[in-house]
Amino acid sequence: MLATVACALLVGSPAARAQEPAEPGLFSSIVNLFNPQRLADAGPQAPDATPYTVEITVKEGGRDLRQAVEGASALESLKGRPPSGAAGLVRRALADQGNISAALYANGYYSGIIRIRIAGNAPDAPNIFEIVEAARKRGPVPVRVEVEPGPLFHFGKVAIIDAASRRPLADAPTLASLRVVPGEPALASSVVRAEGMLVDHWRRSGHPFARVTDKDVVADHATTRLDVTFRVAPGPVATFGRFTVTGADFLTPGFIEERIEIAPGTPYSPEVLNRLRRRLLGYEAIASVRIKEADRLDPDGSLPITLEVEARKPRYVGFGASYSSTEGPAANVYWGHRNLFGGGETLRLDAQTSWFGEKSEAVPDADPFGYKVSASFVKPGIYTAQDDLVAQAAVLREVTNAYVREAVTFLGGVRHRYNDNLSLQVSLDLEQSQVEDADGSGEYGIVGVPFDLKYDTTDNELDPTKGVRFSGTAEPFAYFGDAGAGTTMVKGSLSAYRAVDDGNRLILAGRVAMGGIFGADLYDVPPQRRFYVGGGGSLRGYDYQSASPRNAEGIIIGGRSFFEGSFEARWRVTDTIGIVPFFDMGSAFASEWPDFDEMKYSAGIGLRYYTAIGPLRLDFAVPLNPGPDDGDFGVYVSLGQAF
């Protein structure tokens, strides 16, 4: 027995399943079935409400299928909102025939039998309204739903053909990549997803108007096989044509056009457009970029593109806070301007205060109060559209276990973007500071020229699900405190992220970092420029800076090199809650290169609350090989992932 699934609602007796007509479009609506917003407009309590109870029974099929059926049922999901009158309850029951059928299809069951009874009668019984009215007088109307899913279907023949010639398309993606492999469970959701993947495949190959014109989905009930034929119209190959920009009058003329960087005649690619959109959204003055493709090609085979740009509010204020049981609390208030002179320039003023929760080991009588007042400025396109001027100046007081510093700092340079992932910044690093540590007090002047290389392919700054992120710095110093000239600092950090599942519910994340200072003895390096490990930003579970070299009195002095490593399994349990087990290791060393002696290790568990701006992080960690000066645990609260 064969049934065309796209046109048949399989309910009733086995014979009826091959013949009864169905609501059109049921198969294509499966994706919407699992949309949590489909009931968002349920509205207030209905007049003449008809309360009811519902019992759903799914024979066989397992727990997942039962949950899918219950999630699809309007009778179940809306039972707290009784419908209006008998007619409303009957309409809801009749709608569940299609809702539950779609859920069965989505899970690979195409010969299911669905029986719905209202007060013991079918919802299409001739006198059903009178039956409901009589039943409601005795209390909530009983509704019973029985589902026999039948056998699980598997994919049979799957073909991808040209819509015009009806011949197989030679450059089609593999069935394995589409996840519609013969012999595998024939989930209707897989068929719907494969349709979108086919369109994406040809669009990525330069066909902007690719579409699936039709699909034949036929269920063979004798063999429990589902045969699927996709009819695809790839459409013409195109190149990029002219770009038109609208809505960008809040920026200097030509600002957007200079940054499009897509020459006419470039082969069409949706990924190229996505990269352009992400690049433009990197400018704080721009709130949104909508890309509109023309509905036809120009005579030369090129596709015109329109960019609709919207501005963000130019001024903003805000505040932030963090807490660590090993470093103490910190709070920050800030004011910013996103388009200072009309050319996308940004200015941000920050005022931060902190309180070191314990006495500094190096300076026990130091005031624990710290502060930092800073100004950051960025001017895009100082030489070309790829070159930005960046500058930051700060006045600060820093309190740590190893030293107390009062300083004035300046960092300014030019950042060149080679492409969407790679950039290099060359800067001038100036610092004049007074630092007190275990060896006394000293004044330090520092002049350096840092080279900062960054490479980033991640998909999100605060909560990446894929890609890699690298940052490296090499900074030779013309003057470096007591070390004088000739000292060089080198450090780097590499992070990688990978989603285990299609829904990005489980992300594996890892990070390694290391660095060294060359050409200077340890005590010639200013204390604030030595390397320290320990605390929420490096080695959780250990006190701030505690995994670092100490002097003969056991006071932290810092090192000339360091190594850090972290691994996290970020499991998103619900849409808003996540759990993150993690493992950290690291230490700072007195030698120029890490020698990996006395490495420290820690492990812990984190809680994530996902918000619109990023995850809120709460981490609890314990040291695995603590020394006599180490604490028992660490607690950390901040916005964003640990790395």
Side-chain angles (χ1 to χ4, degrees):
M1 185 191 310
L2 299 180
T4 302
V5 176
C7 305
L9 179 61
L10 307 175
V11 296
S13 66
R17 289 197 296 264
Q19 301 172 3
E20 292 181 3
E23 298 177 12
L26 174 64
F27 197 91
S28 298
S29 69
I30 288 170
V31 172
N32 290 331
L33 177 68
F34 302 98
N35 178 6
Q37 296 299 319
R38 72 187 192 279
L39 303 177
D41 58 348
Q45 192 81 294
D48 189 26
T50 303
Y52 65 91
T53 61
V54 59
E55 179 184 355
I56 298 178
T57 303
V58 181
K59 298 181 179 180
E60 302 179 346
R63 176 183 176 185
D64 290 343
L65 182 61
R66 176 179 174 82
Q67 290 178 341
V69 169
E70 291 178 348
S73 170
L75 286 166
E76 173 66 25
S77 59
L78 292 177
K79 61 185 178 183
R81 286 186 168 277
S84 177
L89 180 57
V90 170
R91 282 195 300 268
R92 189 173 291 183
L94 291 172
D96 258 11
Q97 294 276 9
N99 295 337
I100 296 174
S101 290
L104 294 176
Y105 284 11
N107 286 272
Y109 297 90
Y110 297 90
S111 58
I113 300 174
I114 303 168
R115 299 184 184 91
I116 301 178
R117 295 292 182 266
I118 304 176
N121 294 266
D124 56 354
N127 59 337
I128 189 63
F129 292 158
E130 290 82 359
I131 293 172
V132 172
E133 292 295 343
R136 68 186 291 193
K137 294 178 181 179
R138 298 188 294 269
V141 180
V143 180
R144 181 174 176 82
V145 180
E146 295 181 355
V147 179
E148 296 181 15
L152 176 64
F153 278 61
H154 294 76
F155 284 115
K157 297 178 181 179
V158 180
I160 304 169
I161 64 174
D162 185 277
S165 66
R166 303 298 176 95
R167 294 178 179 177
L169 286 163
D171 55 346
T174 65
L175 299 182
S177 67
L178 297 175
R179 300 181 183 178
V180 288
V181 179
E184 293 295 317
L187 312 185
S189 54
S190 297
V191 177
V192 175
R193 181 174 59 245
E195 183 177 359
M197 294 173 68
L198 285 169
V199 173
D200 291 342
H201 169 79
W202 267 282
R203 280 176 57 83
R204 288 194 302 268
S205 300
H207 301 260
F209 304 122
R211 61 192 181 97
V212 175
T213 61
D214 194 10
K215 59 181 178 291
D216 292 334
V217 184
V218 179
D220 187 333
H221 295 273
T223 62
T224 64
R225 295 286 174 175
L226 190 76
D227 297 333
V228 184
T229 300
F230 297 96
R231 294 190 177 94
V232 181
V237 175
T239 60
F240 284 114
R242 65 186 186 278
F243 280 79
T244 303
V245 179
T246 64
D249 51 356
F250 60 96
L251 295 166
T252 55
F255 184 93
I256 300 295
E257 288 82 354
E258 291 174 358
R259 288 159 175 80
I260 291 176
E261 301 177 7
I262 302 175
T266 301
Y268 169 84
S269 167
E271 179 56 32
V272 170
L273 290 178
N274 288 335
R275 289 200 300 267
L276 169 62
R277 182 177 179 274
R278 290 195 299 267
R279 184 165 65 249
L280 294 177
L281 289 175
Y283 295 97
E284 293 187 23
I286 300 175
S288 67
V289 178
R290 183 182 180 190
I291 298 176
K292 296 181 64 176
E293 302 177 6
D295 56 6
R296 61 174 58 89
L297 301 180
D298 281 346
D300 61 354
S302 64
L303 180 68
I305 304 291
T306 300
L307 302 180
E308 297 179 351
V309 182
E310 291 187 8
R312 299 179 72 181
K313 293 182 178 180
R315 297 173 182 83
Y316 63 94
V317 296
F319 70 93
S322 63
Y323 171 77
S324 163
S325 63
T326 62
E327 300 164 43
N332 184 54
V333 295
Y334 53 86
W335 173 92
H337 200 298
R338 299 185 174 101
N339 194 21
L340 191 61
F341 304 122
E345 302 89 353
T346 62
L347 174 66
R348 174 165 162 158
L349 306 178
D350 284 78
Q352 178 178 321
T353 60
S354 60
W355 187 268
F356 194 69
E358 304 174 356
K359 288 185 177 181
S360 171
E361 294 181 9
V363 192
D365 59 347
D367 187 335
F369 175 73
Y371 64 84
K372 182 177 181 181
V373 179
S374 63
S376 302
F377 176 75
V378 177
K379 177 174 176 53
I382 187 172
Y383 299 126
T384 69
Q386 293 76 37
D387 300 304
D388 301 334
L389 173 67
V390 295
Q392 183 181 66
V395 178
L396 60 91
R397 184 176 190 271
E398 182 184 14
V399 183
T400 75
N401 262 328
Y403 61 83
V404 176
R405 173 175 65 142
E406 295 182 355
V408 177
T409 65
F410 173 81
L411 182 70
V414 176
R415 179 178 59 216
H416 178 77
R417 181 181 58 80
Y418 292 95
N419 54 47
D420 294 323
N421 308 120
L422 181 65
S423 66
L424 174 66
Q425 179 175 323
V426 181
S427 308
L428 178 64
D429 177 13
L430 304 176
E431 177 181 338
Q432 185 63 45
S433 59
Q434 181 172 344
V435 182
E436 187 175 1
D437 64 0
D439 293 327
S441 180
E443 292 189 0
Y444 297 94
I446 297 175
V447 180
V449 181
F451 295 77
D452 296 300
L453 184 69
K454 292 186 177 181
Y455 179 77
D456 193 341
T457 64
T458 59
D459 57 347
N460 187 286
E461 182 177 359
L462 290 177
D463 190 21
T465 64
K466 62 180 180 179
V468 297
R469 182 178 290 163
F470 171 80
S471 63
T473 299
E475 182 172 5
F477 294 95
Y479 193 76
F480 197 50
D482 295 337
T487 306
T488 301
M489 183 273 293
V490 178
K491 64 179 180 179
S493 174
L494 176 65
S495 303
Y497 312 87
R498 182 177 179 83
V500 175
D501 62 312
D502 293 336
N504 296 335
R505 311 295 292 190
L506 178 60
I507 310 297
L508 301 182
R511 170 183 174 268
V512 293
M514 63 185 302
I517 298 173
F518 307 96
D521 293 333
L522 177 60
Y523 285 97
D524 289 335
V525 177
Q528 74 275 22
R529 294 298 178 112
R530 298 171 192 165
F531 291 120
Y532 303 88
V533 172
S538 59
L539 182 63
R540 288 164 286 188
Y542 290 86
D543 290 346
Y544 181 54
Q545 300 179 332
S546 65
S548 307
R550 299 171 182 263
N551 63 14
E553 288 75 33
I555 298 174
I556 298 170
I557 58 173
R560 288 188 294 169
S561 61
F562 79 100
F563 175 84
E564 297 171 357
S566 295
F567 175 80
E568 293 188 347
R570 301 171 180 173
W571 177 33
R572 194 159 180 162
V573 181
T574 70
D575 289 339
T576 57
I577 301 296
I579 296 176
V580 182
F582 59 84
F583 173 80
D584 292 349
M585 60 181 175
S587 184
F589 310 94
S591 55
E592 288 185 340
W593 290 96
D595 57 23
F596 300 100
D597 286 340
E598 300 183 2
M599 284 280 290
K600 298 288 188 178
Y601 304 91
S602 68
I605 189 76
L607 180 67
R608 302 291 183 267
Y609 179 74
Y610 295 94
T611 70
I613 59 176
L616 181 64
R617 174 169 69 105
L618 171 63
D619 285 342
F620 174 83
V622 295
L624 298 180
N625 58 333
D629 299 312
D630 294 320
D632 297 327
F633 63 89
V635 178
Y636 312 92
V637 180
S638 66
L639 181 65
Q641 298 285 7
F643 58 89

